[in-house]
Amino acid sequence: QVQLQESGPGLVKPSETLSLTCTVSGGSFNNYYWSWIRQPPGKGLEWIGYISYSGTTYYNPSLERRVTISLDTSENQFSLKLGSVTAADTAVYYCARYSGTWVVFDYWGQGTLVAVSS
Amino acid sequence: LVLTQSPATLSLSPGERATLSCRASQSVSTYLGWYQQKPGQAPRLLIYDASKRATGIPARFRGSGSGTAFTLTISSLEPEDFAVYYCQQRSSGGGAPLTFGGGTKVEIK
């Protein structure tokens, strides 16, 4: 059973960089894409980006200038960095496994709330 | 690609049938997924490839459609089915953005 778990600070100051890590257990990184998705309080889901098992990245064009996703297969982890944050970046951040074959997110972490505030 | 879900809210009683719609602004073949999200929880994959149930999903959940029009039907609502449902797709072309619909809330009438 694949499990994902997000970790990182729950509070980030405006203009700083949000950094989160997702630890994956119970499965291989091969043949999947490893994704970040966020959900502002009371709102819908927004795809941030993903990284392939070979390290190729794809980002949401609306966030591309500020986003970096990286992969560390030796630690079974992948990470998100979102720079120059504002209050609009306050959200629950989820990591998820994306199947390129079926174009769906089949396993999700429980999510972590990150608030942007001074 | 824009995914439009309707209605925004569906008020029904347990045992009733729920019909949720998702329309795409361009054809997506059958590459569409449906998710269920309960308060305080992560979304859960219900349907992939428009009509295939994910592992462990009860048979009362049925997905249908192709091209630009898709439907999620819950044949007889159980108490645990009251939640928000999202559809999701990817625009054509490698590396294209992934998009979620705005969601349909199924609430107890």
Side-chain angles (χ1 to χ4, degrees):
Chain A
Q1 176 76 353
V2 177
Q3 293 184 315
L4 298 93
Q5 178 67 58
E6 304 89 350
S7 59
L11 181 64
V12 181
K13 290 182 168 54
S15 79
E16 294 190 346
T17 296
L18 179 159
S19 296
L20 295 173
T21 296
C22 182
T23 301
V24 181
S25 59
S28 168
F29 275 88
N30 291 343
N31 301 315
Y32 290 97
Y33 297 79
W34 302 90
S35 312
W36 289 96
I37 297 151
R38 69 181 183 178
Q39 185 172 37
K43 296 189 177 181
L45 299 162
E46 179 182 33
W47 171 69
I48 298 170
Y50 57 60
I51 187 166
S52 74
Y53 59 95
S54 61
T56 305
T57 52
Y58 302 91
Y59 300 133
N60 188 324
S62 68
L63 297 169
E64 190 168 18
R65 291 186 302 107
R66 301 192 289 131
V67 173
T68 302
I69 297 175
S70 58
L71 185 64
D72 185 346
T73 55
S74 67
E75 295 290 334
N76 289 333
Q77 294 179 334
F78 62 105
S79 299
L80 169 71
K81 291 189 185 299
L82 179 66
S84 304
V85 297
T86 70
D89 295 309
T90 293
V92 175
Y93 285 76
Y94 296 101
C95 59
R97 190 179 82 169
Y98 172 69
S99 165
T101 300
W102 299 113
V103 192
V104 290
F105 302 95
D106 55 2
Y107 289 95
W108 295 65
Q110 65 185 26
T112 187
L113 176 62
V114 180
V116 178
S117 175
S118 55
Chain B
L1 173 68
V2 176
L3 296 177
T4 302
Q5 290 189 243
S6 63
T9 304
L10 200 51
S11 298
L12 295 167
S13 300
E16 289 193 295
R17 181 187 193 91
T19 303
L20 289 66
S21 172
C22 177
R23 289 193 172 271
S25 58
Q26 61 189 244
S27 177
V28 296
S29 184
T30 59
Y31 291 113
L32 185 112
W34 288 95
Y35 302 83
Q36 176 193 66
Q37 187 179 33
K38 297 179 181 178
Q41 297 185 18
R44 175 176 70 145
L45 177 65
L46 298 176
I47 301 288
Y48 65 97
D49 199 25
S51 62
K52 296 179 172 63
R53 281 190 301 277
T55 303
I57 302 304
R60 64 180 181 273
F61 291 92
R62 188 173 72 87
S64 62
S66 66
T68 61
F70 299 86
T71 300
L72 175 68
T73 302
I74 310 171
S75 59
S76 178
L77 283 164
E78 296 288 339
E80 62 267 28
D81 298 336
F82 292 91
V84 179
Y85 293 84
Y86 294 96
C87 57
Q88 171 261 316
Q89 221 295 356
R90 188 199 79 189
S91 302
S92 60
L98 295 161
T99 305
F100 290 92
T104 290
K105 181 179 182 181
V106 178
E107 64 176 23
I108 300 176
K109 186 174 181 180

